[in-house]
Amino acid sequence: MEKKVRVRFAPSPTGGLHLGGVRTVLYNYLFAKQHNGTFVLRIEDTDQTRFVEGAEEYIQECLKWCGLEPDESPLSGGPYAPYRQSERKEMYRQYAEQLVTQGNAYYAFDTPQELEAMREKFKSEENPSPQYGHGIREKMRNSLTLPADEVSHLLSGGAQHVIRIKMPEDETITFTDMIRGEVSFNSSLTDDKVLLKADGMPTYHLAVVVDDYSMKITHAFRGEEWLPSAPVHVLLWKYLGWMEEMPEWAHLPLILKPDGHGKLSKRDGDRLGFPVFAMNWKDAKNEEVTTGFRELGFLPEAFINLLAVLGWNDGTEQELFTIEELVEKFSLTHVHKGGAKFNYEKAKWFNHEWIKKYKVEGLRQKVKEVFAANGLEAYDDEKLDVVIELVKDRCTLLTDFWQQASFFFMAPETIDVASVKPKWNEDKAMFFDILSEKLVLLEEWNVADIETLFKETAAEKGIKMGELQLPFRIMLVGGKFGPTVFDIAELIGKKETIERIRKGLSLLS
RNA sequence: GGAGCGUUGGUCAAGGGGUUAAGACACCUCCCUUUCACGGAGGAAUCACGGGUUCGAUUCCCGUACGCUCUACCA
């Protein structure tokens, strides 16, 4: 009988939630849902020096926005609580001690200064970063080199110490990665990683295996950057006697910078002008706000969609997927091995497609929020629906609705005079003057009648339609954008149309 | 330096011993529209390199190059 699928996303609460992080969540989520499994959120807060207030809440909020909520988490609890590593502190020591007793780990008393000195001393051209491992551990101050009575004396005296794994010499460690297939490493190449820090907290290496074991995780997804330390984890599963329960690994490809190479970072976003975090993140230290995809006007569905296909595809030409389709179609065999450069233009394309795909009802509230954010609160809701339908095809981001739709509800504050002025003349001024007079007398206010009147008047004055439409547009909306001018005129109404023409006329003359 | 992982147009990518090597974004041209989009029709552009294996390699194998990740009491 197959075990019930359990996966986890285990971020450190150190700041904004990065694109790569959300994609890891997504793949976890899709895999879990696809197998009727459980998705757990575990907070890896073992490094109190990097802990950031509010980051955990922020992560939960991001997952909520994305629609990728965990089944078990610090917030909602679950059968394997607690879900914060800091609250699980006690259990790690016991396993670390067990490893010492078994001879797979040892106490190390070296100070940071001594470690630094060691690295300096053994540093050479061929080996720029000497490792605390076989060959060097014999020269350090640890329970392998010190006499037993001195070790117990140090321990009982409360001497600062860590517990390190004792990496075996020249052993080949092999495991199967669901994406990469069989991967092997030579154990001599990895150093004796610290398992338990001097403050009693576990490092990631110990914590991840103890927690994955105790939370019965069956499949572990993480970024490719973890591949080199995977042998340490595999060894730990083995030494702790849990090999049978070790999860299947999947090391996900990285999301790369759009230009050049390397992991995408927040700095790249700042530098190139696109978001990297799911939602706005405010740095507590300098109050600096980093804009997120949500606030920039992305739909969560689009955000998820673009992340899903960054490194995965279903083998067909389909690019637009709902979350339900993703759950159904996602497959690790179609996950790329190589990293993918992030392309913001394409990301926006996804959002554009999703806006077009959305029904007015779904967009309504979101557009209202955009309006509210710009200080527009009072308007006719029925008219708003009509407007949304009319302009949504030309909105790439939700925030574009401000430019594309606000002029239906309020006259433009400024108009783009410069676009009209060069070709402006007395005849045109006269045309609009006459037009406004005629509009006053127009009985039926609809697109057809307005357009007819406009054309007739243009013909009377002998001016080409095209010459007049741009100035008309500028008067009504303020700039070179928006739907057909006559649609706009009908929607904003007779009085408003005439007022805007008159105002435009005064600004142009 | 070492190890691991990777490499199909500018970008995301399908494919995989024999194909005119899909598709999307971006770019260019044209149509539609005398706004901006949407939409439509075209175009340019790719298998990193060198050896094998093979009747035949983009595909399999080995090298090389390049890139990335790791090499912390950070995750």
Side-chain angles (χ1 to χ4, degrees):
Chain A
M1 191 56 215
E2 275 292 296
K3 286 184 287 187
K4 182 169 165 44
V5 167
R6 292 178 56 81
V7 301
R8 86 301 196 257
F9 174 57
S12 291
T14 53
L17 184 58
H18 185 272
L19 277 178
V22 181
R23 195 190 55 178
T24 304
V25 176
L26 215 212
Y27 288 6
N28 265 296
Y29 179 91
L30 296 177
F31 189 84
K33 294 303 159 197
Q34 184 171 76
H35 293 92
N36 286 311
T38 304
F39 169 45
V40 349
L41 173 67
R42 182 174 71 218
I43 299 295
E44 309 226 339
D45 56 350
T46 53
D47 184 0
Q48 59 272 69
T49 63
R50 296 209 311 155
F51 179 82
V52 173
E53 196 65 48
E56 182 188 319
E57 292 73 11
Y58 169 90
I59 289 166
Q60 294 254 15
E61 188 61 29
C62 285
L63 299 193
K64 190 173 172 189
W65 176 64
C66 293
L68 305 174
E69 294 196 75
D71 301 303
E72 297 169 21
S73 73
L75 213 62
S76 60
Y80 301 93
Y83 292 92
R84 266 180 218 105
Q85 288 183 335
S86 60
E87 294 168 13
R88 306 167 66 79
K89 186 177 171 185
E90 299 316 313
M91 64 189 299
Y92 303 110
R93 170 136 223 138
Q94 148 203 351
Y95 291 113
E97 299 281 0
Q98 179 192 330
L99 290 168
V100 174
T101 311
Q102 290 173 190
N104 297 314
Y106 56 92
Y107 300 106
F109 303 95
D110 317 279
T111 64
Q113 295 75 12
E114 287 170 329
L115 290 175
E116 186 48 41
M118 175 276 280
R119 290 190 184 108
E120 270 310 308
K121 185 175 168 193
F122 294 103
K123 189 153 83 177
S124 65
E125 194 80 344
E126 308 81 63
N127 186 9
S129 43
Q131 301 188 324
Y132 199 123
H134 71 279
I136 286 200
R137 64 173 162 249
E138 288 77 9
K139 300 181 175 72
M140 305 299 288
R141 296 203 312 124
N142 54 52
S143 59
L144 263 20
T145 59
L146 269 17
D149 56 342
E150 190 180 342
V151 169
S152 49
H153 181 75
L154 278 167
L155 252 22
S156 59
Q160 288 264 306
H161 67 279
V162 302
I163 293 180
R164 285 178 182 272
I165 185 173
K166 186 179 170 192
M167 289 299 284
E169 210 167 326
D170 206 26
E171 231 175 67
T172 300
I173 299 159
T174 303
F175 65 94
T176 305
D177 184 278
M178 292 188 281
I179 294 170
R180 283 148 222 284
E182 198 165 278
V183 184
S184 42
F185 292 85
N186 186 307
S187 62
S188 305
L189 272 2
T190 306
D191 62 337
D192 291 350
K193 296 280 183 219
V194 169
L195 265 20
L196 201 74
K197 298 187 264 191
D199 64 3
M201 281 287 196
T203 57
Y204 172 82
H205 307 293
L206 211 219
V208 75
V209 341
V210 169
D211 287 340
D212 282 352
Y213 169 75
S214 57
M215 293 182 181
K216 296 197 162 44
I217 300 304
T218 57
H219 301 265
F221 297 79
R222 65 196 344 182
E224 189 188 352
E225 67 268 30
W226 288 108
L227 211 40
S229 52
V232 177
H233 310 319
V234 173
L235 235 31
L236 252 18
W237 279 92
K238 183 177 153 193
Y239 292 157
L240 261 2
W242 304 331
M243 210 50 186
E244 292 300 305
E245 274 102 323
M246 186 170 80
E248 291 193 55
W249 301 100
H251 289 90
L252 273 21
L254 268 14
I255 296 179
L256 277 16
K257 310 176 188 300
D259 59 337
H261 300 278
K263 256 203 295 193
L264 178 68
S265 71
K266 172 181 133 31
R267 291 187 71 93
D268 297 314
D270 298 344
R271 180 171 58 86
L272 271 8
F274 61 81
V276 167
F277 294 155
M279 309 183 324
N280 273 11
W281 169 255
K282 186 172 176 185
D283 190 303
K285 283 192 201 76
N286 55 17
E287 296 279 299
E288 197 176 290
V289 175
T290 305
T291 309
F293 280 88
R294 181 176 74 172
E295 288 76 5
L296 242 179
F298 274 79
L299 289 163
E301 290 88 345
F303 185 53
I304 289 311
N305 193 158
L306 72 92
L307 249 22
V309 298
L310 203 56
W312 169 85
N313 69 84
D314 77 337
T316 73
E317 286 181 13
Q318 185 174 353
E319 290 196 276
L320 263 20
F321 297 93
T322 61
I323 189 77
E324 291 79 16
E325 288 174 309
L326 289 172
V327 168
E328 185 196 327
K329 296 178 174 173
F330 181 72
S331 157
L332 253 4
T333 60
H334 276 102
V335 173
H336 250 245
K337 294 185 181 76
K341 289 183 185 175
F342 179 66
N343 183 334
Y344 187 49
E345 289 306 316
K346 184 81 186 234
K348 284 194 291 193
W349 176 80
F350 276 105
N351 204 57
H352 193 12
E353 291 300 313
W354 270 92
I355 286 181
K356 287 196 282 177
K357 211 170 136 157
Y358 249 68
K359 297 272 183 290
V360 172
E361 304 81 71
L363 254 13
R364 190 155 47 208
Q365 188 51 37
K366 296 171 195 292
V367 174
K368 281 173 168 250
E369 282 163 22
V370 171
F371 279 11
N374 283 282
L376 178 59
E377 302 278 3
Y379 43 83
D380 177 356
D381 280 19
E382 265 177 53
K383 183 175 163 189
L384 179 64
D385 283 1
V386 177
V387 169
I388 290 174
E389 187 58 52
L390 195 59
V391 306
K392 69 184 182 116
D393 281 5
R394 52 195 86 214
C395 294
T396 296
L397 300 171
L398 287 172
T399 43
D400 291 339
F401 275 99
W402 178 248
Q403 190 198 49
Q404 295 293 339
S406 59
F407 58 80
F408 284 102
F409 304 95
M410 53 191 271
E413 286 176 18
T414 57
I415 69 169
D416 181 9
V417 175
S419 293
V420 182
K421 208 71 184 220
K423 289 186 167 179
W424 189 247
N425 57 37
E426 246 344 277
D427 280 354
K428 286 182 185 174
M430 205 179 296
F431 166 85
F432 281 103
D433 199 37
I434 294 167
L435 180 69
S436 64
E437 296 300 331
K438 286 188 176 181
L439 286 172
V440 174
L441 302 172
L442 196 61
E443 284 174 25
E444 292 286 319
W445 191 258
N446 58 55
V447 175
D449 288 348
I450 300 165
E451 188 168 354
T452 305
L453 183 68
F454 194 96
K455 279 181 177 161
E456 285 172 1
T457 312
E460 281 167 25
K461 297 297 298 174
I463 308 176
K464 278 185 285 182
M465 277 285 281
E467 296 276 303
L468 298 167
Q469 288 205 29
L470 183 64
F472 191 31
R473 167 177 303 283
I474 301 285
M475 289 172 183
L476 297 188
V477 322
K480 289 200 249 185
F481 48 82
T484 313
V485 274
F486 303 111
D487 283 341
I488 299 168
E490 182 194 281
L491 269 167
I492 63 177
K494 188 178 191 171
K495 181 165 168 282
E496 184 69 18
T497 302
I498 294 164
E499 270 175 26
R500 292 192 195 179
I501 293 174
R502 297 227 162 108
K503 187 172 178 208
L505 233 25
S506 71
L507 288 167
L508 282 162
S509 54

